[in-house]
Amino acid sequence: MNIQVQCCGLAILFLLWMFYLRQKPLGLYSVKMFLTTMGITTFCVSMDILSIVAIHHMDQIPRILLAFICKTYIASLIWVGYFDLLYSGTELAKTRYERIKQNGAYTIVAITGTALIYVLPIRYYLEGRIVYTYGPSCMATYTFALMFVLLTLFRMLVRGKEMNAKRRKAVIIWMVIWMIAALIQFLDARMLLVGFASVLGMVILFFELENPEANIDRETEAFNAHALGEYVKQYYEEQKSFSAIMLVLADANRPGDEEEGIRQDIALQEIVRYLKKIKDINVFKTMERELVLITDKEEQLQKVFLTLQERFQHPWHSRRLAEPMMLNPYYVLLMDSAIFRGTEEIFQMLRYLRVEERSPEKHIILLDDKRVAQFREKDETEKMILSAIEEDRIEVFYQPIYSTKEKRFVSAEALVRIREKDGSVVPPIKFVPIAEKTGLISLIGQIVFQKTCAFISENRLKERYGIHYVEVNLSVKQCEKKNFADTFIKIMNEHGVDPSSINLEITESAPIQTRKIFLKNIQTLLDYGVEFSLDDFGSGESNLNYIVEMPVSIVKFDRGMSQAYFADKKARFVMEAAMHMIHDLKLKIVSEGVETKEQMEIISGLGIDYIQGYYFSKPLSGEEFLQYIAKENGC
């Protein structure tokens, strides 16, 4: 009997099944369809072998049983083509309803073809080792199977761009091999190659797309980050909700502690082994030292969370650890995935938590409606900032600063604003905190400085309006960049701005991560002729240290400190003491937030050098500022 090729194909399929059965199934729809297709292919090859055996012994078995076996085999070829078509469209239909709607007509065609096979007559050829079937029933098989193959290829050509490129390529190769095998078998019925061609298709799909090992993290044997993305995506596509815990080792990213990181990796393997024993959850490892546990049963998640809290009160043991290891993780709890709009948003939120909210003090973070709303506001603000930068809607407003000695306006503070598309102005309180967290503040700061220098140069503020300098707020993150000073000097040179026309404000409350670079940048600018102010004095935690350490010429009392002077005796005493100390250090003082004539007169009487506040003017656009200064300074 010429069944060697079929037996070889069956052996290959058994090997593929062995690879799959070694791993816990993840339940992805594409995997389910692949396994179903592989199942029908296994059935098809098995029936091919059985039909050959039956024909060889057709004198010993009933004619009706022989016909049933042979027709079942050729009918299975139609269903192989049918499931090939369905598998190729796994990415095109997102929900169960869409799949039923998309595949309904194909199902009717497959059933019709199967019915015709069983109704039409079939004939057998047996001569020595050569065995095959032919007749109307076989012609129906070729017709319907070819129809499914052509439909699959047509789908690849028409909607291929909507699919994974590797899937499209693998399916096309598979169909081409199938068609070549069918053509050879049609021209020479003795060459029984169609079943083996289906096996080759399974092999191609397995190695290109469906190898279960590709979804496994090799170090921990949990599902990996790619599998997590596909798994979560499927839940949202099918409009199902799930619950999840993200388990994060608190010290996972501590710099300079490589040995601790290795110990945590070993402990992570033990944790995964422990978690995989729990029923009804899937365990994933992200690119970081984090584990994500997912279940569609909220009650199960609550039980798992309590179990984990209790377990982590005890050390983790391993033969590879010199001693038991105590871990202090923190947990991110998501009780209902429906609070997120989709896969992209949920992973954006996790990235945000990873960067912004990780701290030793936080052991449990609950993802609820309030926290998600805050995240969305932050995300929308970030997009608004990027749009404003791209469309040049970053504007600079100027607030005049009054000299108590000269009795006129001698300087101004440059303040950033965003102009919305409808013409409205976005105040800095709504976007600056987000810009600082995302790092966009550096780009905004450079734009503000560029526009301020252009404003000073084009309007000759000192010569025409008596404005000696303009204060520009400076983010410490800007100062921490190595090329910061050179960039600002280049901008001043481009606009021909005298460095004495610039005063850069440093906020005392901002942390300095790279102090050496920070101080080097400041010194470079000082040497060039730029002066510095200490902004928001009174709002930070190290006021005196900043005055002593930072090479500033002006100290600015923030609005809170200025207003407290008029409301509290203790605050008045503190402000007067600070004022005397600052003047003894030969530094000038600006008092911000002065709002009434009475406040202005009292502050002036204290001997404070400059006054800034709404009593004189709110921040003004460039044109309004020039008009105001021209009028008030009599220019």
Side-chain angles (χ1 to χ4, degrees), residues 17 77 84 135 144 146 181 411 437 452 544 565 581 586 592:
W17 281 112
L77 291 172
D84 293 350
F144 282 91
L146 182 61
S411 60
K437 285 186 176 182
T452 300
L544 300 180
Y565 181 87
M581 178 198 68
K586 308 303 181 185
E592 298 181 300

Side-chain angles (χ1 to χ4, degrees), residues 138-282:
C138 292
M139 292 304 298
T141 302
Y142 280 112
T143 301
F144 282 91
L146 182 61
M147 183 189 305
F148 282 120
V149 171
L150 293 175
L151 282 171
T152 302
L153 289 173
F154 179 75
R155 172 184 278 174
M156 296 298 101
L157 295 174
V158 174
R159 302 187 65 183
K161 292 182 179 179
E162 303 174 44
M163 300 172 57
N164 177 295
K166 289 182 69 175
R167 188 183 305 278
R168 183 175 68 248
K169 179 181 177 182
V171 170
I172 289 175
I173 293 172
W174 177 19
M175 291 299 100
V176 169
I177 291 173
W178 218 77
M179 288 182 67
I180 292 173
L183 179 62
I184 292 172
Q185 188 167 326
F186 179 77
L187 296 174
D188 187 349
R190 297 172 297 176
M191 303 292 289
L192 306 180
L193 299 176
V194 173
F196 188 73
S198 299
V199 174
L200 291 180
M202 293 294 100
V203 173
I204 292 169
L205 293 181
F206 178 86
F207 285 106
E208 283 292 313
L209 296 162
E210 304 299 346
N211 185 350
E213 297 290 336
N215 289 328
I216 302 298
D217 176 73
R218 293 190 177 183
E219 291 184 359
T220 63
E221 296 186 1
F223 292 114
N224 59 23
H226 170 75
L228 174 62
E230 293 297 313
Y231 193 63
V232 171
K233 178 183 175 183
Q234 180 169 297
Y235 266 103
Y236 279 106
E237 287 177 348
E238 296 185 350
Q239 298 179 351
K240 295 180 180 180
S241 62
F242 61 88
S243 301
I245 299 174
M246 185 167 77
L247 179 69
V248 184
L249 300 187
D251 301 329
N253 293 324
R254 188 167 60 192
D257 200 347
E258 185 177 349
E259 183 179 347
E260 177 67 12
I262 294 172
R263 282 166 49 81
Q264 288 184 7
D265 285 337
I266 295 171
L268 206 59
Q269 296 170 12
E270 299 300 318
I271 295 169
V272 170
R273 291 191 187 100
Y274 172 78
L275 293 173
K276 289 175 76 173
K277 297 176 183 177
I278 302 175
K279 292 183 178 180
D280 299 323
I281 66 164
N282 283 313

Side-chain angles (χ1 to χ4, degrees), residues 83-116:
F83 281 108
D84 293 350
L85 179 63
L86 265 55
Y87 173 80
S88 70
T90 52
E91 295 172 324
L92 303 179
K94 305 300 183 184
T95 66
R96 187 184 299 273
Y97 172 75
E98 288 179 357
R99 287 195 289 268
I100 292 173
K101 183 179 178 181
Q102 173 181 278
N103 301 332
Y106 304 142
T107 305
I108 293 173
V109 172
I111 292 172
T112 302
T114 303
L116 281 175

Side-chain angles (χ1 to χ4, degrees), residues 228 242-248 275 281-284 290-295 298 300-309 330-335 350 365:
L228 174 62
F242 61 88
S243 301
I245 299 174
M246 185 167 77
L247 179 69
V248 184
L275 293 173
I281 66 164
N282 283 313
V283 184
F284 301 84
E290 302 164 344
L291 298 176
V292 177
L293 285 59
I294 293 181
T295 178
E298 184 176 328
Q300 175 69 358
L301 191 82
Q302 293 173 348
K303 293 178 182 177
V304 170
F305 175 58
L306 294 175
T307 301
L308 284 174
Q309 284 190 304
Y330 80 79
Y331 309 86
V332 178
L333 300 182
L334 173 61
M335 305 313 296
L350 291 179
I365 297 177

Side-chain angles (χ1 to χ4, degrees), residues 313-543:
Q313 293 177 8
H314 307 286
W316 293 88
H317 301 266
S318 173
R319 294 178 180 177
R320 296 167 61 195
L321 290 171
E323 58 185 26
M325 186 175 184
M326 289 295 299
L327 295 171
N328 183 31
Y330 80 79
Y331 309 86
V332 178
L333 300 182
L334 173 61
M335 305 313 296
D336 186 359
S337 61
I339 64 175
F340 287 100
R341 293 168 181 159
T343 309
E344 183 178 352
E345 186 177 59
I346 195 171
F347 284 112
Q348 284 179 344
M349 181 69 172
L350 291 179
R351 284 193 293 270
Y352 171 71
L353 291 175
R354 192 177 291 138
V355 175
E356 301 295 339
E357 296 205 22
R358 174 176 295 189
S359 70
E361 293 78 23
K362 293 182 180 179
H363 292 285
I364 301 174
I365 297 177
L366 178 62
L367 297 184
D368 54 13
D369 291 322
K370 181 180 178 181
R371 190 176 290 273
V372 172
Q374 291 172 344
F375 168 74
R376 284 175 183 159
E377 183 180 4
K378 171 256 172 193
D379 189 53
E380 289 167 5
T381 302
E382 184 177 356
K383 290 177 181 176
M384 182 265 291
I385 295 170
L386 290 170
S387 174
I389 292 173
E390 184 179 345
E391 298 169 8
D392 192 26
R393 289 188 284 105
I394 301 290
E395 294 189 13
V396 183
F397 279 38
Y398 302 89
Q399 188 171 32
I401 299 176
Y402 183 80
S403 169
T404 58
K405 181 179 180 181
E406 298 185 38
K407 308 299 182 185
R408 67 186 185 88
F409 296 100
V410 296
S411 60
E413 181 177 1
L415 299 162
V416 64
R417 299 289 187 270
I418 288 180
R419 181 77 65 177
E420 287 280 34
K421 293 180 181 180
D422 61 5
S424 61
V425 176
V426 182
I429 190 65
K430 287 193 175 181
F431 66 86
V432 168
I434 302 300
E436 288 176 341
K437 285 186 176 182
T438 58
L440 290 171
I441 194 66
S442 295
L443 181 54
I444 291 174
Q446 187 170 322
I447 292 171
V448 168
F449 189 72
Q450 180 94 32
K451 293 193 173 188
T452 300
C453 286
F455 184 73
I456 293 171
S457 175
E458 291 167 6
N459 296 288
R460 299 173 62 193
L461 293 186
K462 190 171 185 177
E463 296 85 353
R464 293 179 179 174
Y465 298 92
I467 300 298
H468 299 311
Y469 62 89
V470 176
E471 298 174 353
V472 181
N473 286 286
L474 194 62
S475 164
V476 172
K477 288 187 176 181
Q478 288 175 274
C479 290
E480 292 171 350
K481 295 183 179 296
K482 291 183 178 181
N483 63 344
F484 157 70
D486 294 336
T487 300
F488 269 39
I489 290 172
K490 182 180 179 182
I491 291 172
M492 286 186 278
N493 287 334
E494 286 175 354
H495 293 281
V497 171
D498 189 325
S500 65
S501 299
I502 297 293
N503 186 291
L504 298 176
E505 295 184 5
I506 305 170
T507 303
E508 57 156 331
S509 59
I512 302 173
Q513 304 297 334
T514 50
R515 192 174 190 81
K516 188 175 180 180
I517 296 173
F518 175 87
L519 293 174
K520 183 180 179 181
N521 276 316
I522 288 180
Q523 191 59 52
T524 300
L525 289 166
L526 282 169
D527 294 342
Y528 186 70
V530 175
E531 292 193 338
F532 286 81
S533 297
L534 178 60
D535 195 17
D536 291 341
F537 180 82
S539 63
E541 299 177 357
S542 54
N543 309 330

